[in-house]
Amino acid sequence: MASENSPLLAYRLLGEEGVSFPPNGAGGPGGSPARRLSTFLGVVVPTVLSMFGIVVFMRIGFVVGHAGLLQALAMLLVAYFILALTVLSVCAIATNGAVRGGGAYFMISRTLGPEVGGSIGLMFYLANVCGCAVCLLGLVEAVLDDFGADASGASGLRVLPQGYGWSLLYGSLLLGLVGGVCTLGAGLYARASFLTFLLVSGSLASVLVSFVAVGPRDIPLTPRPGPNGSSLPLQFGHFTGFNSSTLKANLGAGYAKDYTTGTLMTFASVFAVLFNGCTGIMAGANMSGELKDPSRAIPLGTIVAVAYTFFIYILLFFLSSFTCDRTLLQEDYSFFRSISLWPPLVLIGVYATSLSASMSSLIGASRILHALAQDDLFGVVLAPAKVVTRGGNPWGAVLYSWGLVQLVLLAGKLNTLAAVVTVFYLVAYAAVDLSCLSLEWASAPNFRPTFSLFSWHTCLLGVASCLLMMFLISPGAAGGSLLLMALLSALLTARGGPSSWGYVSQALLFHQVRKYLLRLDVRKEHVKFWRPQLLLLVGNPRGALPLLRLANQLKKGGLYVLGHVTLGDLDCLPSDPVQPQYGAWLSLVDRAQVKAFVDLTLSLSVRQGAQHLLRISGLGGMKPNTLVLGFYDDTPPQDHFLTDPAFCEQADAPSEGGAPALSTLFPPPRAPGSPRALSPQDYVATVVDALKMNKNVVLARGCGALPPERLSRAAGGSLRPHHMDVWPLNLLRPRGGPGYVDVCGLFLLQMATILGMVPAWHSARLRIFLCLGPREAPGAAEGRLRALLSQLRIRAEVHEVPWGQGAAEPTQEEEEEEEGDFVNSSLGDAEAEALAGSANALVRAQQGRGQMGSPGGPERGEAPTGPTTALTFLYLPRPPADPARYPRYLGLLETLTRDLGPTLLVHGVTPVTCTDI
């Protein structure tokens, strides 16, 4: 894996046209070429050659002849406007730090992440490979047109045999020449590029002079076959010299059939041909590792090259429109040779541009491949591309690419791939614009490019323009390229990538989350949009996995925080022991597949730590409103890491990158009889603290008995029908009347309803049990509750249960007692214990009703056939005001919930339901 030497944004640019090297060289250890190239040799020359290509010699007449001068100029302006937008993004990113090997791949992957960068990098690599093959085959065809033994024409040296095998041989020989130059390194390539630049410049100069120096002439056109196979009469094109009539005739469009393909040309098809030849804007930036001053050379050189080529194209368009009639322009795309003072010089220019384009594509492909191999995104498949020379030249990647180009040459004609190659280039250009746009939108302080002539508007327009051009050139290829990118991204996501590159997505998320958190005004909260926001205090996650997953189901899209208190005093410690623990807890969240935040604190006691977390967890309008605790009893905790499939697989598999297994990061569960970090007194006091802070409280007991299917994220339709039982009144202070429908009772109903919305609990039926007072008529309370449930849109079964006959009717004084009395003060300890036991028996009896296949229950030896109670919601009484009564309170809760199975004791203090729309 490529190492990152600095946390600063570091980029290195690579395009399909040129060469690039990693930091200090071509990517090898010990490669350290000197930065010798000037702006002209390092940026202007390669960019000009890449943007000219063979189009400048072979397609000027095609564009002007079919589109006319006005539309041709409009096409050129649009094409260069699109390219200029990407140039601005390239210059911005290239001047924001050191750009390493891989070019566009490096920029995109270090900005958008390895998944997107790797997929586009591989597509960019394949585009360069195919582009090299297309250039070589085009060069072979151009040579055979002039020197082929079977070529038709009036004159020429026809000595080269033709055919598929011969074309493959010529292409392979030329590929060997190109590969040899690239294998020997970037220095030889740079010298060859400069020589090519001189040849192309001389050829263009001869063409421009010829427009002025050559007089009018008639140029014979190649005979065309007639409809019956016979040749049509010989036609002539006319070079008129500078003539206003010729210009006037060439102003408008005159789309006709292309004489090479027989296809009727349109604005889109001509524009696609012109745009294909204008790409190559990254060639100069690819040389950033060899430039004396890349921060100055890349913006200046690229802009100069773009402006120079734009001027040359416009000049050729005007000269062709002034001097050549439409017949010559449409029927002879190589008319430059016919009007040249010395035709062989034009031929040399055609050959030189083709050879230069193939060299640029091959050396560019090798640098992309080398960067991909170093990042190890595709595993051992690209391992040979890591091999480098002592000087740092990645000859392994060159040979790898050479072999792939040779395979592509076997396909012969590659006209069908030309559009795909251009679309792949445009995908990379769009991704560069998107990278710059993301950095600009993220407002990262470290994004400070020295090139400032850009904005998010230019980046966004560049992305849209590239996507538009993709579908204009070839809708099928554009759709296929996006599908391929999605598939490769999915593959890389499944494989997993490095996390040390820095993802702009995280910066964007931070920027947007901060903005919307500021707009989340707590003063505008309304009960209609209430949702549970949970703080689950966890001592050791080994024994709390079922509760951790159940709380995840209860949150209903709300905030979910895992809190943990580490005991200690920071004054007595050399460093904070909490910070190193975050990695383990975040790995726990990932492995358990819960959507939770992690908040850890250091405190002298668990109670004080819980107070800290209740006060400071969350941010702005997203703060916990409900505290969730496991039940305090003497049951020894289970080690769910040993039985949970997600953690068993993680323990068996080797850790990635040598990281310790998650099971080793948390201590074993507490042994039976060992001292506990939290006393019963502090446990109840923590509940009291939460209620004083106006937080709802949920105590969970027996969650380990829940079947794993109930705690999964999948639908639970295959499970046996289950019940969720809700007891919306205080069973330890039974009294009749409508008092059961208080805030706490409604909170119980809301939490049970929320859990029923989870797919894994869809099959569970909600049952609500009403306790009738001694003098309450049957049916009255049920009717009131059904009316309330109808208003709240809650579907549930309602059952009336006689309860409280043994208790005296409360007096007026007892009604006005402090709400903290969880049980009638007139009862002694033994009577209160008996009351809790009776309530426990009542709840268990109602659970048993659901398990019977008939009202009389199952026969002896017969298993229950009906639904069972999966989870019970009980009213959690408010703890007593006197701390001395905390142990008695906890003991009564233990008696109340004994042997009930999974149970949630809930106390709500805030309104959570609303009957309005």
Side-chain angles (χ1 to χ4, degrees), residues 357-525:
S358 61
M359 280 195 302
S360 297
S361 296
L362 182 60
I363 201 167
S366 66
R367 269 47 181 187
I368 299 172
L369 183 66
H370 181 62
L372 285 168
Q374 283 189 317
D375 289 337
D376 202 24
L377 296 182
F378 294 93
V380 297
V381 177
L382 302 184
K386 296 181 181 180
V387 181
V388 296
T389 64
R390 286 189 176 183
N393 183 39
W395 65 271
V398 174
L399 294 181
Y400 200 111
S401 303
W402 174 87
L404 286 182
V405 174
Q406 186 65 60
L407 290 178
V408 178
L409 286 177
L410 294 174
K413 301 290 184 180
L414 290 178
N415 291 335
T416 55
L417 286 180
V420 177
V421 171
T422 303
V423 166
F424 279 12
Y425 286 156
L426 285 171
V427 170
Y429 295 165
V432 171
D433 286 318
L434 182 61
S435 300
C436 189
L437 175 66
S438 302
L439 291 169
E440 182 70 8
W441 272 353
S443 300
N446 280 325
F447 184 59
R448 300 186 298 269
T450 57
F451 180 85
S452 59
L453 299 179
F454 76 101
S455 69
W456 69 267
H457 304 85
T458 61
C459 300
L460 182 61
L461 193 56
V463 174
S465 301
C466 289
L467 293 177
L468 178 62
M469 278 304 307
M470 286 168 52
F471 285 94
L472 180 64
I473 291 174
S474 176
S481 65
L482 296 179
L483 178 60
L484 177 61
M485 183 182 71
L487 293 176
L488 290 174
S489 298
L491 173 64
L492 292 174
T493 301
R495 275 183 51 85
S499 58
S500 60
W501 290 356
Y503 297 89
V504 74
S505 59
Q506 296 298 307
L508 287 170
L509 287 173
F510 178 89
H511 185 268
Q512 294 301 109
V513 167
R514 181 195 64 84
K515 180 173 71 174
Y516 287 115
L517 273 176
L518 290 173
R519 297 175 61 181
L520 188 61
D521 193 344
V522 295
R523 295 168 296 182
K524 298 179 181 179
E525 288 182 352

Side-chain angles (χ1 to χ4, degrees), residues 732-733 811 813-815 817-818 820-829 831-832 835 885 888:
L732 299 183
R733 284 194 70 165
T811 64
E813 291 78 10
E814 290 173 337
E815 292 282 357
E817 283 179 353
E818 183 185 355
D821 281 342
F822 61 96
V823 66
N824 286 346
S825 58
S826 59
L827 299 178
D829 290 349
E831 294 174 315
L835 178 63
R885 302 173 65 188
R888 180 193 182 200

Side-chain angles (χ1 to χ4, degrees), residues 202-225:
S203 180
L204 282 175
S206 72
V207 170
L208 295 176
V209 171
S210 298
F211 275 111
V212 179
V214 174
R217 63 177 63 177
D218 294 335
I219 300 172
L221 304 177
T222 303
R224 307 286 182 251

